[in-house]
Amino acid sequence: MNAPRTWPAGWYELVARHGLAALLVLGSTLLGCDSGERSALADDNQAASGTSSGPSAGGSTSAAGTGSSSGGNGPSTGAGSLAEKYADHFPIGAAVGSWHLDTLGDVLEQDFNHLTCENAMKIQDIHPAEATFAWDEADRIADFARQKGMKLTGHTLLWHRQAPAWMFEGVTAGDAASLETLKMRLKAHIAAMVERYADVVDNWDVVNEALSDTAGKIYRDGPEGSTWYELFGSQDYIYFAFQYAKDALEESSPGSSAGKLYYNDYTATLKADKILTLLSWLKDEKGMQIDGVGFQSHEQLSWPSAADLQKAIDKVSGAGYKVKISELDITVYNDYPAGSFVAAPAVELTPELEAKQAKRLADLFALYRANKQHVTSVTFWGVSDDQTWLDNEPVPGRNDYPLLYGDAHTPKAARAAIMDF
Ligand code: GLA
């Protein structure tokens, strides 16, 4: 069905995303493996491959079309509008690349009122050389959003992955002068991004995934793949990124930074305390009050529990921060049945499995709705199952079915389930 993509370097991230037990078992030995760049990552290739991984004619017999809200022939978008249904709750977003605009424009327009660039705004993609910006794809997505009256998440101004080598060139840990060069480059990057998209971006993932997966360690450091931490010798880079974003927003329009500065990470149910430590450090020691936390929410069918998710939301909102669900998808696999990684065999999406996923999403959305005073948006990491990073992580070439629409771009049972309230 999908074009094969490349096996990623980052084991620790897969483990953290796919199970607490696995995290505990594998521990820090594997965590040290993530020193490579993510330049060949699935979704990066996906962006580069454009239409090559579009829906196959007569391919998988996935549940596309079996959803109860399916509305007839062709690329049906189902009954009603998801975004309208949630108008009194929060915006409904989708992570997209150009491919989605070309093939799923009608679905986007009907069901979503918020977009995230899946890759197009990552530094490596949009700023491939110090003097070169590659604006085209992000501009296209931003223009689509402007035309349709949608807003964007700016994803992401700083991440240890998909960061280009030029950013760190000539910079040496402990060398104050070269560190100033790095700060200047980061500041220039953030200023250019904010200036170009300030009108359409209503929240920025200023920093992505800066917290450690290791028990007892707060910040992701060099051995866990953060060149930023390694060169700064501390988590100070996180503060600088927020400060530069805030300054750039205030410069574009005074007061406009309010409500827009987010920290984004995965497995928030495991990391809530570390997140609070980071937020307190930013606020109390650096004088940097940010606005909210993105819970990526790459979830499993039965993990994390609703109770744990509620606890994490309570902790973050109780400390005065908003929560957004920033990268939601529900894998149909469990590769950690007993704590360590065992690749589950590929399956087709049977009606039973589809129903289970629909129930899971219905439960999650009920929880999001119950927390609507804290939740600022809910964004799916993609639209249809034929285009998902999970086809290649953690098992390359294994089809997954984590989204609201099936391979033929017809709505799955999950869409009807989250509309049913
Ligand atoms: C992380 C990043 C996203 C995307 C996903 C899936 O969650 O924040 O941009 O790359 O991984 O690969």
Side-chain angles (χ1 to χ4, degrees):
M1 176 176 65
N2 292 353
R5 300 179 224 145
T6 312
W7 178 243
W11 269 88
Y12 74 91
E13 183 174 323
L14 309 178
V15 171
R17 283 178 171 151
H18 291 273
L20 167 61
L23 230 182
L24 300 175
V25 170
L26 292 182
S28 56
T29 320
L30 277 179
L31 301 181
C33 295
D34 179 44
S35 54
E37 289 225 358
R38 209 188 188 185
S39 57
L41 240 199
D43 38 6
D44 197 44
N45 289 351
Q46 171 182 315
S49 66
T51 56
S52 65
S53 54
S56 61
S60 153
T61 54
S62 94
T66 61
S68 54
S69 66
S70 182
N73 298 328
S76 161
T77 51
S81 158
L82 186 56
E84 275 170 29
K85 181 80 183 174
Y86 278 85
D88 291 337
H89 293 85
F90 30 70
I92 303 289
V96 297
S98 286
W99 179 85
H100 294 89
L101 305 188
D102 295 333
T103 57
L104 281 155
D106 54 346
V107 173
L108 289 175
E109 203 172 333
Q110 173 177 286
D111 271 351
F112 299 92
N113 53 1
H114 210 277
L115 299 177
T116 300
C117 293
E118 190 171 7
N119 288 291
M121 285 192 180
K122 290 172 182 168
I123 309 184
Q124 174 182 274
D125 292 63
I126 205 162
H127 199 168
E130 187 159 11
T132 309
F133 282 91
W135 300 115
D136 288 1
E137 190 181 5
D139 276 1
R140 240 197 108 192
I141 294 165
D143 283 342
F144 182 90
R146 290 180 184 110
Q147 281 159 21
K148 310 294 180 194
M150 302 177 181
K151 291 293 182 191
L152 289 183
T153 290
H155 177 80
T156 169
L157 294 174
L158 187 154
W159 192 22
H160 63 290
R161 293 176 179 275
Q162 291 178 251
W166 68 260
M167 182 66 84
F168 306 116
E169 214 168 80
V171 182
T172 311
D175 171 11
S178 70
L179 202 57
E180 287 307 310
T181 303
L182 179 56
K183 284 161 63 179
M184 190 199 69
R185 288 172 182 162
L186 177 64
K187 185 174 182 170
H189 171 75
I190 290 176
M193 294 293 293
V194 168
E195 189 190 349
R196 196 167 187 92
Y197 300 114
D199 66 308
V200 69
V201 168
D202 68 359
N203 77 99
W204 292 91
D205 287 336
V206 178
V207 176
N208 198 31
E209 302 182 352
L211 292 172
S212 174
D213 294 314
T214 304
K217 190 167 93 182
I218 304 294
Y219 297 102
R220 178 188 303 284
D221 58 12
E224 272 189 280
S226 177
T227 308
W228 294 103
Y229 190 104
E230 193 177 328
L231 294 176
F232 274 81
S234 76
Q235 73 275 19
D236 276 1
Y237 73 91
I238 302 172
Y239 157 70
F240 284 111
F242 277 106
Q243 188 64 57
Y244 297 152
K246 186 169 183 173
D247 290 348
L249 280 160
E250 289 301 316
E251 200 169 307
S252 87
S253 166
S256 79
S257 67
K260 296 202 176 107
L261 306 175
Y262 278 72
Y263 172 72
N264 193 50
D265 213 329
Y266 56 86
T267 55
T269 49
L270 301 180
K271 288 187 180 145
D273 291 331
K274 295 185 190 189
I275 290 171
L276 292 187
T277 302
L278 165 62
L279 298 175
S280 303
W281 172 77
L282 279 170
K283 185 175 163 201
D284 301 338
E285 293 189 35
K286 296 300 201 181
M288 172 54 59
Q289 172 77 60
I290 73 164
D291 301 293
V293 178
F295 287 22
Q296 289 186 2
S297 311
H298 298 289
E299 315 290 38
Q300 296 181 339
L301 285 169
S302 54
W303 188 91
S305 69
D308 284 348
L309 182 55
Q310 185 61 58
K311 265 187 231 154
I313 292 176
D314 288 346
K315 279 186 183 176
V316 171
S317 62
Y321 297 88
K322 294 294 186 189
V323 169
K324 63 172 180 166
I325 306 302
S326 54
E327 305 186 13
L328 179 62
D329 47 24
I330 313 281
T331 179
V332 301
Y333 297 103
N334 178 5
D335 298 310
Y336 300 90
S340 51
F341 180 83
V342 182
V347 294
E348 293 287 318
L349 186 63
T350 59
E352 293 72 30
L353 195 50
E354 182 174 351
K356 204 169 169 191
Q357 183 185 52
K359 168 81 169 65
R360 170 68 160 155
L361 267 173
D363 291 347
L364 285 174
F365 269 77
L367 189 146
Y368 304 153
R369 288 195 302 272
N371 289 279
K372 73 173 188 178
Q373 73 274 30
H374 307 302
V375 174
T376 52
S377 60
V378 176
T379 290
F380 287 87
W381 203 247
V383 178
S384 56
D385 289 342
D386 55 322
Q387 189 76 297
T388 168
W389 69 294
L390 290 169
D391 280 352
N392 288 289
E393 291 190 40
V395 178
R398 182 185 65 181
N399 290 341
D400 207 336
Y401 311 92
L403 296 165
L404 286 185
Y405 281 78
D407 290 351
H409 298 178
T410 46
K412 291 164 62 187
R415 181 183 179 279
I418 62 176
M419 294 278 276
D420 185 17
F421 66 96

